[in-house]
Amino acid sequence: MKLFVDANYLSPYAMSVFVALREKRLPFEMVLVNLGRQEQSDPLYAEVSTTRRVPAISDEGFHLSESSAICEYLEDRYPGTALYPSDIQSKAKAREIQAWLRSDLLPIRQERSSEVVFLKRSPPPPLSAEAQTSARKLMAAAQGFLPPGRSSLFDQWSIADTDLALMLNRLRLAGDALPARLAAYAEAQWQRPSVREWVNKPRAES
């Protein structure tokens, strides 16, 4: 299997698939795509990713992009650590959380980019009013999703935990205030070995 990711390991969506593959203990080759050089627009890459986005996988001649679709494919195709809860309703809730994190909260993603998370830069400027509104929405939803006293969203870890922790860490690692239990959850999820492996990848300052 091949996993195509951005060359500087900044994509949170590439991280999600990388973690999924490590959790499944699947062997794979990582192929770096330099987005700054527009390598994703190369016609050869379009043979792997019709949408010309990262991440993408190539698995025995089958090509797939979009991180949540890849994670669901890996779950259905391969044994190993479960990426989603086995209960139908909990699995649907995990997918809801993933879809929401990818489609909403744009002001946070803009003002607390993945460079803040992975390049460990000095604290950015305070959040704008619009981003503060998104942050309050994120925190309220996260507290609703996360049962009190638990360090994961469901009875066992799921890939939705990695995705939610990354969004919360956009704020936490920038020095923005988080409720104590959300900060503790985000920090605990960040210590998972598969996550640490991605976090510790060498990166060049842009």
Side-chain angles (χ1 to χ4, degrees), residues 61-82:
F62 175 68
H63 307 307
L64 189 65
S65 58
E66 299 302 321
S67 59
S68 56
I70 296 170
C71 289
E72 291 177 28
Y73 167 76
L74 295 175
E75 180 76 330
D76 292 340
R77 176 75 173 81
Y78 292 102
T81 300

Side-chain angles (χ1 to χ4, degrees), residues 2 73 114:
K2 292 184 178 180
Y73 167 76
S114 56

Side-chain angles (χ1 to χ4, degrees), residues 20-204:
L21 285 165
R22 282 290 189 251
E23 293 291 338
K24 288 288 186 184
R25 298 186 179 180
L26 295 172
F28 64 95
E29 173 190 350
M30 194 142 58
V31 181
L32 303 183
V33 180
N34 192 314
L35 304 183
R37 297 176 185 169
Q38 296 294 308
E39 289 180 357
Q40 74 275 20
S41 298
D42 189 304
L44 291 176
Y45 185 62
E47 295 178 10
V48 175
S49 175
T50 306
T51 57
R52 306 191 185 201
R53 287 154 59 95
V54 294
I57 61 166
S58 180
D59 183 24
E60 298 181 346
F62 175 68
H63 307 307
L64 189 65
S65 58
E66 299 302 321
S67 59
S68 56
I70 296 170
C71 289
E72 291 177 28
Y73 167 76
L74 295 175
E75 180 76 330
D76 292 340
R77 176 75 173 81
Y78 292 102
T81 300
L83 303 178
Y84 294 93
S86 58
D87 172 71
I88 290 175
Q89 291 184 346
S90 295
K91 183 185 294 184
K93 183 59 67 174
R95 288 169 170 166
E96 174 195 15
I97 293 168
Q98 284 189 295
W100 174 63
L101 292 170
R102 285 158 171 73
S103 61
D104 200 356
L105 309 171
L106 179 60
I108 296 176
R109 295 199 301 274
Q110 289 176 327
E111 297 183 29
R112 298 293 183 261
S113 74
S114 56
E115 292 185 0
V116 171
V117 176
F118 297 122
L119 293 182
K120 301 177 176 63
R121 291 180 169 175
S122 56
L127 292 170
S128 67
E130 185 179 16
Q132 289 179 39
T133 298
S134 286
R136 288 192 292 271
K137 180 179 181 180
L138 169 63
M139 289 184 280
Q143 292 191 97
F145 288 138
L146 182 65
R150 214 154 66 183
S151 59
S152 61
L153 291 164
F154 306 100
D155 290 339
Q156 302 293 331
W157 171 88
S158 77
I159 194 64
D161 283 301
T162 298
D163 292 345
L164 179 58
L166 191 144
M167 185 61 80
L168 290 169
N169 275 322
R170 290 176 184 270
L171 301 175
R172 185 179 71 88
L173 296 175
D176 299 308
L178 279 178
R181 84 180 178 98
L182 294 185
Y185 163 80
E187 168 61 20
Q189 290 296 328
W190 221 233
Q191 299 311 311
R192 196 169 182 88
S194 56
V195 173
R196 293 309 306 167
E197 186 179 351
W198 179 269
V199 170
N200 291 331
K201 291 288 184 187
R203 296 174 176 86

